[in-house]
Amino acid sequence: MVDSSQNPSWPEDEQLGSFLDRLGGGREDESGRLIDRLPVIVYASELGETGRWRYVSPQVEEILGFTPEEFLCDPGLWARQVHPDDRLHALAVESRDALGNRETAPIEYRMYTKSGRLVWMLDEAVLEPDGAGVPVWHGVLYDITERKTIEIDLQRALDQQAVVARLGGRALKNGDPEALMHDAVTLIGELDGVEAACIWEVGRDGRRLNLCAGLQDSRRGEGRRVSAGRESHAGAALDASIAVIVPDWSGDDRFTMPPAVRALGAASSLAVMIDGKDRPFGVLDVHSREPGRFGPKDVPFLEASANVLADAFERHAADRALRHRVLHDALTGLPNRLSFVDSVDDALGRASVSGSPVGILFLDLDHFKLINDSLGHHAGDALLRAVAPRLRSHLRPGDIVARFGGDEFGILIDRLADDAEAMAIAERVASAFAQPFSMQGVDHFVNASIGIAVARLADGRPTNAELLIRDADAAMYAAKESGRNRSVLFDAEMRASAQRRLQTERELRGAVERDELELRYQPIVNLRSGEVTGLEALVRWRHRERGLLDPVDFVSIAEDGGLIEPIGRWVQERAARQVLEWHELRPDARPLDVAINLSARQVSHRDLPATIAEVIARTGLDPVHLHLEITETVLVEESAAAIATLEALNELGVRLVLDDFGTGYSSLAYLSRFPFHALKIDRSFVDTLGVEQEGTAIVEAVIGMARALSLEVIAEGVEKQIQLDELVRLDCDYGQGHFFHEALRAEQISRLIEADALDYSGISSTR
Ligand code: C2E
Ligand code: MG
Ligand code: MG
């Protein structure tokens, strides 16, 4: 604004025209020279767009390039030189209303100089009638270009700062790159003189830049791509990583104008790179219909905007990578259990609206450990990686496959019709294993056990992902129990038994401390002499309400709950001390062997040899009298670790017995890898002796095989004379079963010893 104190004051009582005439005319005059030297244009002109100019001071030539004469003889010149956008505003005051108004407000407008340069004018004038009553403007034109440029630059910088600040705010609030890019081009596009802003992303091949925000209405396809090379302005910004200014597209021979930008009618542009941590993301550019709209002063602003975007993209990428790591399994790339639980909960939420059941499959590979141990971990990993896509290809697109860890997979089946459909899908999934997996050039057939659980909202039972997974897990367990390679649907019975298991586990904690465990002993008879040479210790739990419980009711629960180790230690120590007491009790102090059972989990525990060594040391039992019975399935599931443990136990001098022989998968060659002293033929084979030809043949083969391996053979579950007869005929070493004795309490054994009635006397008659 112009300070009024600087205004030239007009002699009030004099006609301005004559005053100026006098000044202009009298060149010698002091004040005339003064006017000529003022950095302003003094003028007198008649009213209207083409009002005649009566006087204009010589500075007009310096400021506008036209001589005073050119002005005086061309009444339309002034209005023609005013910038078209400002003309209306400049001419608005050309009315008689201004007559005599000494307070007429000064106006600002742009004018073209004779050479075409644009200058800012401040026009301050009063309209007065001359002597003849003709209204004449007496005014002063100030060249305010410099001040105006500073003002405009300042305003532009403030507007730009505001855009960067708002963009920064949005970037913090919303991490979604799509939305942020849209915000950015909108905010920047609102700046004065900016027609559009665009964001270009470097394409996958690195050779193209694809338009991803801005110019929404421009044509699709080719028009939305530019080269990432130096032949495009954006490509050049990327290539040199410096800002590229195109002051005037019409005169630019460096770059090809992108069609999308041409469609906009852009005259000038500015482009900067959006950098990334590892590689540039792309380019941010702005376009104007004015030539020369962008200069070096605009670069910091656009770079600041690009930096805000770059930071936001970087953060988003890092978030995404982190999220992916947290929610996915690194080996297979499948969602992990955490993410599966989320998906199941979502599906259950949707089901509560739609009412359609949600199903889960819990899949566990059969004998995965065997592959891991025999072919190595790399082969195991390769198998898991190969299983993942197979499972997916046997499912519907919306179904989710996740890896829980190890060889366990979860499958979510959204929108089920009924249980039958869940079973059908499980069968389809199982068929994914019909083809062999090729590992290290060899085809391997792998099967899976699948547990199915279906959540039905009609049941009215509150359910969540964890409960549903637990149910499917229990069903999978049942599938394994009933022989593997099958699918089992979780049912009410399983639910009840799962709940009972949990209840039992709670009660089993502290059973040792509460002295609720007991041991029964079942004599083992030498089938040649009838002599009882040993006893198998069998654990029982005296439950406060349920009475005396057999191992089937609690041993596997103890294993799952991590309680088998303390129970095992108690059994071992009690049995060892007991058998030492009986040694004392026998008149000839003939030693008895004591057999103790070890479950799979106990064998896989690395402390087992140390624990056994401790029992031997504490009780003083000669280790040859300690027999450890290990069930055959342990070997299949844990072979590598099992070998090491069994070797360590063997070093202690104890005897190892392979229990339940025939129920597992051991082959002759397989057995020879382990340091066993004896094998116990499973009850199911003994049952068939003398009844079934085939069963008898198997027992015969087993005994023959054991002989070849120098293993002793024990037959368990001998209940009938005919079984005993057959065993004797086949030259089996030892027998055990109800036919001789049930599992007895320690006092009963002691009484038998005292009465010298422990041995079986019927053998000699059989022989
Ligand atoms: P197992 O080692 O095969 O033990 C033999 C099982 O057969 C015992 O059942 C025994 O009572 C039963 N039995 C013996 N003779 C006959 C017979 O003539 N006919 C029939 N039908 N059954 C007979 P129990 O005591 O219920 O033990 C079952 C399983 O529990 C055992 O099988 C063993 O694997 C496990 N177990 C027993 N005690 C312990 C222990 O202290 N620790 C561990 N980890 N497992 C144990
Ligand atoms: Mg046993
Ligand atoms: Mg057995």
Side-chain angles (χ1 to χ4, degrees):
M1 284 289 104
V2 176
D3 186 346
S4 66
S5 65
Q6 291 172 359
N7 290 358
S9 60
W10 302 100
E12 298 255 329
D13 50 354
E14 218 177 334
Q15 283 291 311
L16 270 169
S18 60
F19 167 76
L20 290 167
D21 281 347
R22 203 152 44 74
L23 288 180
R27 291 276 137 192
E28 265 68 349
D29 188 291
E30 239 351 86
S31 34
R33 281 207 305 281
L34 179 66
I35 284 206
D36 291 354
R37 256 184 260 120
L38 283 174
V40 297
I41 303 165
V42 179
Y43 71 90
S45 73
E46 287 172 16
L47 186 64
E49 187 173 341
T50 53
R52 193 172 64 82
W53 285 60
R54 292 186 182 177
Y55 172 80
V56 61
S57 62
Q59 294 93 320
V60 76
E61 189 168 358
E62 201 183 307
I63 294 170
L64 290 173
F66 296 99
T67 61
E69 288 68 35
E70 281 175 294
F71 260 94
L72 299 185
C73 63
D74 183 355
L77 179 61
W78 169 77
R80 280 204 312 280
Q81 293 307 112
V82 172
H83 190 284
D85 291 353
D86 297 349
R87 198 167 288 148
L88 216 62
H89 157 69
L91 290 172
V93 293
E94 297 291 336
S95 115
R96 281 182 164 272
D97 298 349
L99 204 59
N101 180 7
R102 288 281 168 113
E103 308 291 304
T104 309
I107 53 170
E108 294 178 357
Y109 50 82
R110 285 166 292 174
M111 278 186 84
Y112 286 105
T113 65
K114 194 172 183 178
S115 64
R117 202 166 53 84
L118 214 49
V119 292
W120 275 94
M121 295 277 107
L122 176 78
D123 191 346
E124 188 167 41
V126 292
L127 192 63
E128 297 275 342
D130 66 2
V134 179
V136 175
W137 285 110
H138 297 144
V140 182
L141 285 171
Y142 303 84
D143 178 0
I144 57 164
T145 309
E146 203 172 316
R147 191 200 83 203
K148 214 51 197 176
T149 310
I150 293 171
E151 254 175 45
I152 288 170
D153 283 353
L154 195 67
Q155 189 55 49
R156 199 192 268 194
L158 286 174
D159 292 347
Q160 292 176 343
Q161 267 171 26
V163 166
V164 175
R166 283 164 70 192
L167 189 59
R170 305 234 177 138
L172 285 182
K173 236 187 279 157
N174 181 1
D176 173 41
E178 289 283 324
L180 185 65
M181 286 194 274
H182 179 259
D183 284 351
V185 297
T186 310
L187 282 171
I188 297 171
E190 279 164 7
L191 284 171
D192 237 14
V194 174
E195 200 56 40
C198 314
I199 294 171
W200 307 81
E201 186 181 2
V202 181
R204 233 180 276 264
D205 60 358
R207 293 168 53 206
R208 306 239 154 231
L209 283 160
N210 301 317
L211 184 60
C212 47
L215 302 180
Q216 295 313 344
D217 306 325
S218 77
R219 53 200 181 112
R220 317 238 135 229
E222 280 302 308
R224 300 179 67 83
R225 255 182 255 153
V226 295
S227 154
R230 295 180 142 271
E231 58 274 20
S232 86
H233 72 294
L238 196 69
D239 186 79
S241 70
I242 49 155
V244 167
I245 300 170
V246 181
D248 192 348
W249 277 106
S250 66
D252 198 286
D253 50 10
R254 296 172 297 166
F255 309 118
T256 328
M257 193 171 186
V261 176
R262 184 183 306 282
L264 189 73
S268 59
S269 302
L270 164 63
V272 299
M273 175 171 74
I274 305 171
D275 209 355
K277 200 165 83 234
D278 304 321
R279 55 179 199 98
F281 172 83
V283 170
L284 169 66
D285 64 2
V286 281
H287 310 280
S288 174
R289 288 193 176 142
E290 278 169 46
R293 167 64 177 76
F294 306 108
K297 279 189 225 153
D298 299 303
V299 171
F301 152 68
L302 205 61
E303 281 177 345
S305 305
N307 287 343
V308 170
L309 292 173
D311 279 355
F313 297 162
E314 210 66 67
R315 247 194 339 266
H316 181 78
D319 277 0
R320 232 178 18 196
L322 193 69
R323 218 181 128 69
H324 193 271
R325 264 233 313 266
V326 170
L327 295 178
H328 287 79
D329 161 50
L331 181 67
T332 59
L334 291 176
N336 61 14
R337 190 189 172 110
L338 191 68
S339 127
F340 188 74
V341 166
D342 271 356
S343 304
V344 174
D345 275 331
D346 285 352
L348 290 171
R350 283 194 301 277
S352 68
V353 180
S354 71
S356 55
V358 172
I360 296 202
L361 307 186
F362 194 116
L363 184 148
D364 188 293
L365 302 183
D366 295 335
H367 305 307
F368 176 68
K369 280 225 162 72
L370 199 59
I371 290 195
N372 240 353
D373 291 345
S374 53
L375 302 179
H377 283 282
H378 288 301
D381 286 355
L383 173 62
L384 293 170
R385 269 198 298 268
V387 164
R390 274 222 203 158
L391 291 178
R392 237 192 328 238
S393 69
H394 281 73
L395 290 164
R396 303 175 301 186
D399 299 336
I400 292 173
V401 184
R403 179 172 171 235
F404 289 171
D407 58 347
E408 293 176 348
F409 295 85
I411 296 165
L412 166 65
I413 314 157
D414 213 347
R415 288 169 286 108
L416 263 181
D418 50 21
D419 288 0
E421 192 188 3
M423 285 299 284
I425 292 173
E427 287 311 315
R428 202 165 70 222
V429 169
S431 73
F433 297 91
Q435 297 299 314
F437 291 85
S438 172
M439 276 174 287
Q440 297 167 359
V442 181
D443 280 354
H444 291 265
F445 280 93
V446 177
N447 296 317
S449 299
I450 303 175
I452 307 159
V454 176
R456 253 174 258 88
L457 282 120
D459 288 0
R461 214 179 309 109
T463 193
N464 63 40
E466 287 295 355
L467 291 178
L468 203 58
I469 293 171
R470 205 189 62 198
D471 290 354
D473 189 4
M476 187 279 290
Y477 197 80
K480 291 257 185 218
E481 296 267 276
S482 54
R484 299 182 161 89
N485 188 21
R486 65 197 63 210
S487 308
V488 170
L489 180 69
F490 185 80
D491 56 20
E493 169 51 38
M494 267 182 233
R495 184 186 310 282
S497 99
Q499 275 160 2
R500 268 200 307 275
R501 272 179 85 87
L502 271 181
Q503 172 72 11
T504 305
E505 188 188 313
R506 268 196 298 275
E507 292 166 348
L508 191 55
R509 279 181 202 286
V512 173
E513 289 74 15
R514 291 193 304 269
D515 209 16
E516 290 174 358
L517 297 183
E518 296 177 12
L519 282 182
R520 295 286 183 273
Y521 298 89
Q522 185 174 40
I524 297 170
V525 180
N526 180 317
L527 296 185
R528 292 189 192 91
S529 64
E531 190 187 355
V532 169
T533 55
L535 300 134
E536 179 176 6
L538 297 160
V539 71
R540 300 286 180 268
W541 175 21
R542 191 164 292 282
H543 190 278
R544 271 172 292 178
E545 287 138 30
R546 291 158 67 195
L548 196 65
L549 300 183
D550 283 336
V552 272
D553 298 322
F554 64 93
V555 167
S556 79
I557 296 174
E559 287 193 69
D560 288 351
L563 299 168
I564 195 69
E565 275 81 25
I567 292 177
R569 276 197 296 276
W570 179 87
V571 169
Q572 290 144 21
E573 186 142 352
R574 168 60 63 95
R577 291 193 190 284
Q578 183 61 63
V579 79
L580 283 169
E581 268 181 39
W582 287 327
H583 290 175
E584 301 282 311
L585 204 61
R586 290 188 117 182
D588 49 1
R590 263 185 304 150
L592 283 165
D593 300 328
V594 66
I596 287 162
N597 291 283
L598 295 174
S599 64
R601 185 175 152 136
Q602 285 174 285
V603 176
S604 69
H605 203 289
R606 37 164 92 227
D607 290 346
L608 179 69
T611 308
I612 299 292
E614 224 178 276
V615 169
I616 294 167
R618 260 209 310 268
T619 58
L621 179 68
D622 182 346
V624 290
H625 297 305
L626 185 58
H627 294 192
L628 300 178
E629 297 194 2
I630 292 151
T631 182
E632 192 187 3
T633 46
V634 168
L635 308 184
V636 180
E637 312 231 316
E638 319 269 346
S639 60
I643 290 184
T645 306
L646 299 187
E647 292 290 358
L649 290 171
N650 191 39
E651 294 281 297
L652 296 176
V654 300
R655 297 288 162 100
L656 300 177
V657 179
L658 185 63
D659 205 349
D660 308 326
F661 186 80
T663 57
Y665 299 81
S666 314
S667 67
L668 186 60
Y670 199 69
L671 266 189
S672 62
R673 294 161 60 190
F674 300 93
F676 286 107
H677 294 87
L679 61 81
K680 217 179 220 190
I681 302 177
D682 192 63
R683 200 160 61 224
S684 54
F685 293 99
V686 175
D687 262 352
T688 64
L689 277 178
V691 185
E692 270 175 37
Q693 185 62 44
E694 199 191 295
T696 312
I698 292 174
V699 174
E700 188 170 1
V702 169
I703 293 171
M705 178 194 92
R707 275 288 157 267
L709 283 172
S710 309
L711 293 172
E712 296 193 310
V713 181
I714 307 149
E716 70 177 358
V718 182
E719 292 177 344
K720 299 179 185 130
Q721 180 71 52
I722 186 167
Q723 293 164 347
L724 174 61
D725 292 346
E726 284 296 297
L727 289 168
V728 169
R729 183 179 71 81
L730 297 171
D731 202 20
C732 182
D733 301 300
Y734 299 93
Q736 173 184 4
H738 294 167
F739 186 76
F740 306 109
H741 291 285
E742 292 190 355
L744 302 170
R745 287 199 303 276
E747 312 85 78
Q748 292 176 294
I749 302 282
S750 301
R751 273 200 296 274
L752 285 170
I753 292 173
E754 282 162 349
D756 199 14
L758 189 60
D759 295 347
Y760 175 70
S761 55
I763 292 282
S764 40
S765 61
T766 310
R767 283 220 171 231

